Amino acid sequence: MTGFDAVEVITTKRDRKALSDGQIDWVIAAYTRGEVADEQMSALAMAVLLNGMDRREISRWTDAMIASGVRMSFPAEALGGRPTTDKHSNGGVGDKITLPLAPLVAACGAAVPQLSARGLGHTGGTLDKLESIPGWRASVSREEMLAQLGSVGAVICAAGDDLAPADKKLYALRDVTGTVEAIPLIASSIMSKKIAEGTGALVLDVKVGSGAFMKDVSSARELAATMVALGTDHGVRTVALLTDMDTPLGLTAGNALEVRESVEVLAGGGPPDVVELTVTLAREMLAAAGLDGVDPADRLADGTAMDVWKRMVRAQGGDPDAPLPTARETQVVAAPADGVLVGLDAYAVGVAAWRLGAGRARKEDPVQAGAGVEMHAKPGAEVRGGEPLFTLHTDEPDRFARAEEVLAGAVIIAPHGSRPDLPALVLDRVG
Amino acid sequence: MTGFDAVEVITTKRDRKALSDGQIDWVIAAYTRGEVADEQMSALAMAVLLNGMDRREISRWTDAMIASGVRMSFPAEALGGRPTTDKHSNGGVGDKITLPLAPLVAACGAAVPQLSARGLGHTGGTLDKLESIPGWRASVSREEMLAQLGSVGAVICAAGDDLAPADKKLYALRDVTGTVEAIPLIASSIMSKKIAEGTGALVLDVKVGSGAFMKDVSSARELAATMVALGTDHGVRTVALLTDMDTPLGLTAGNALEVRESVEVLAGGGPPDVVELTVTLAREMLAAAGLDGVDPADRLADGTAMDVWKRMVRAQGGDPDAPLPTARETQVVAAPADGVLVGLDAYAVGVAAWRLGAGRARKEDPVQAGAGVEMHAKPGAEVRGGEPLFTLHTDEPDRFARAEEVLAGAVIIAPHGSRPDLPALVLDRVG
């Protein structure tokens, strides 16, 4: 009826031509309905990965993925006048920023409708972290979400199955066909969900480095520019920061361990890099939402961000004052020598936390709430041979050996007096 | 157990690296067993199409496809000392050459173990043509094949399901995923079957032009060189001719129509281009088999090739003297003007024959034995407006209109006295 044909769409991209709007609309809709087969979509995804898509194609591809499901919206009147603003990070090690950030931005007068995900592989998932809080639930109905945004100002919850279902299906396919690393597909996957979520403003935290999916600044910049263009084309005020992920964020990687660190930040303490990135992203989110008058650092200092956090956790059934779960076993890893810690590889720390039980290899695997890696020093610090460098946490002590194995290669210690050349936390801004 | 993983194989080729022997062996075997999924193999096929494979990779890929099934062999002692030699054509319009060629080469002292296929799309299939002979059957057991090769010297039959089953599965997948046109995959598909068939020598007729799958000489030359290298690497004496397929071969395209024309050639007549290509390919096949002393033109002239043809048809249950089926309806298409015929598009003639019922759109479709296109003039001939240019044959007269439609664009007539620049039949030789 439509006159489109999967082979013709595939060969168009294979032969380095641009897909028409009609081809894109058809192929995404027909794939969602199961009329374009997995083996056809994976061949197309590989052709897109190798031959690229232009701005119009990526924009239309994103539209088609949004149109495969529902598109949410949050009218300002329903939110007591709060403008919506959100953040997306493409995943890193120790990246718990969403936890203090959402209540902080809400404390400054915005509404934050954060649809988050569970973790896969060496990077943690925001929902996995929050689920370590006794009673907290990730699943929130659309009505509850709207009510909570109006009353508390922030929701962190799971995306419904009806949000960009084409993306869900395509992402699972890309995962098994070597086609994850296509910038047009990464960008449209992220942005289709954020646009469908209905936020008015968006700040993208694009991670770069060993612990990130983007290993080099130029790919990260290309991804950032692609996503900013997509947001702009869809009426979402979008800005992107490129931030360092060669080193883990903060001093913890794990679920309950990261919640504890986030609460420290909300209490006015916490590791300086986590505080700095939280405040920097909060400023960007507020500026994008047109709320320039408030300094988020004040809201951290005066405890209002902590108040919002507690109300946010309670609204989803959690007890913010209950003790967090801890792992049954711990083991200390000592520094191998005296000197200055000059390198602490984020990927290795992420893999160690994963091997300790904090992450999952397959979607259906459970995670351990208490498992993870605690770091006792960050690059730039003086260390002494034999003193604790890491504490490993797990419920299953047979996991220690494989975690230690990967951490052995994670650390670089230079002679005392060395001055390591540490990268800035924020590497670039695209917007 | 093997340590290989589909995603790792796909990303190797995606990232423009060469696949290892182990990766290739594993991926073909695991795909044949169903452990590598269709959507993984199609992504790999697209990566191969866009990033290529080197000579070692193509050779190993071919080995792996051969190893997925049985490998035949024909010991010279079982064939009364006849050396084996075969021909492969990658498909054209009116390409009935196998029919007179196999018995002709057998009449010169070689054994020809021709495993052939049915047609798909606008090119005809050798088995479809032979099946228009009353009683003839394409299916021959391995023992019958050996016996017939020894007694008659030629067999044209269907390949068994156990011959390169990986290729069968991969070909069906490529057909629906836009990955047919990858030279490494085309070459390994053809050569895996020909090498597994066990021939000692092979002549490749690589068709170039509108009616062929290769539209330009440079791609055809690349395909020819790739296949010659593959044959050589596998101990098969291989040579390739590039031959013109802008114009149909002979004066017929269809099943029984082409058998009739082939029998004319075997009787010492027939269209000059069919005779020329048959004799040229026969000389190459004999030379590759080390039988240089015999001139195949003599064996056409003295009737021995016709004798072998009749014995070959009878050995497979056919009656070579029975009348061939004819279509129930015919319709004449007249020349639109006086002048010199300077163009007769092979693709259009192929599509017309297909639309008349000679070909099939899907593997499971039947074909009409009598359907097809008879041409009354070939490029270079003087034609008169209103006189017959084509006779169309079909059992279903409602098919005439769509065949005429495509033929309307197939013919170019220049003013009387024009001297068309006709291409040579053999464009190049690679060996």
Side-chain angles (χ1 to χ4, degrees), chain A residues 38 43 50 53 60 115 124-125 127 259 270 295 304 335 352 370 405 417 422:
Chain A
D38 279 341
L50 292 171
M53 290 205 286
R60 190 73 178 203
L115 299 183
L127 299 182
V259 173
D295 185 356
T304 49
E405 197 180 289
L422 303 175

Side-chain angles (χ1 to χ4, degrees), chain A residues 69-86:
Chain A
V70 299
R71 185 162 179 174
M72 298 163 70
S73 67
F74 299 106
E77 58 272 27
L79 305 178
R82 290 171 180 266
T84 49
T85 187
D86 196 8

Side-chain angles (χ1 to χ4, degrees), chain A residues 6-7 10-11 13-16 38-40 42-44 46-47 49-51 173-181, chain B residues 6-7 10-11 13-16 38-40 42-44 46-47 49-51 173-181:
Chain A
V7 172
I10 298 166
T11 54
K13 184 45 67 187
R14 180 196 76 187
D15 297 342
R16 299 184 163 74
D38 279 341
E39 59 268 28
Q40 296 175 317
S42 68
L44 179 57
M46 182 59 81
L49 189 148
L50 292 171
N51 292 341
L173 179 72
R174 287 165 55 209
D175 196 40
V176 297
T177 57
T179 51
V180 169
E181 292 85 348
Chain B
V7 172
I10 297 166
T11 54
K13 183 45 68 188
R14 179 198 77 187
D15 297 341
R16 299 185 163 74
D38 279 342
E39 58 268 30
Q40 295 176 316
S42 68
L44 178 59
M46 182 59 80
L49 188 148
L50 291 171
N51 291 341
L173 179 71
R174 288 164 56 209
D175 196 39
V176 297
T177 57
T179 52
V180 169
E181 293 85 350

Side-chain angles (χ1 to χ4, degrees), chain B residues 6 8 51 99 129 136 145 158 167 252 282 294 331-332 350 384:
Chain B
E8 171 250 319
N51 291 341
L99 277 56
K129 294 170 194 175
W136 189 87
M145 191 175 175
D167 174 67
T252 57
V294 196
Q331 181 163 310
V332 168
R384 281 184 174 280

Side-chain angles (χ1 to χ4, degrees), chain A residues 17-69:
Chain A
K17 290 177 227 145
L19 299 174
S20 70
D21 290 352
Q23 286 180 316
I24 291 170
D25 294 351
W26 176 81
V27 81
I28 296 287
Y31 178 59
T32 309
R33 288 193 305 265
E35 289 164 23
V36 165
D38 279 341
E39 59 268 28
Q40 296 175 317
M41 186 50 100
S42 68
L44 179 57
M46 182 59 81
V48 167
L49 189 148
L50 292 171
N51 292 341
M53 290 205 286
D54 65 27
R55 180 168 175 166
R56 177 196 54 79
E57 289 175 283
I58 300 172
S59 183
R60 190 73 178 203
W61 186 278
T62 305
D63 283 331
M65 294 217 293
I66 295 168
S68 73

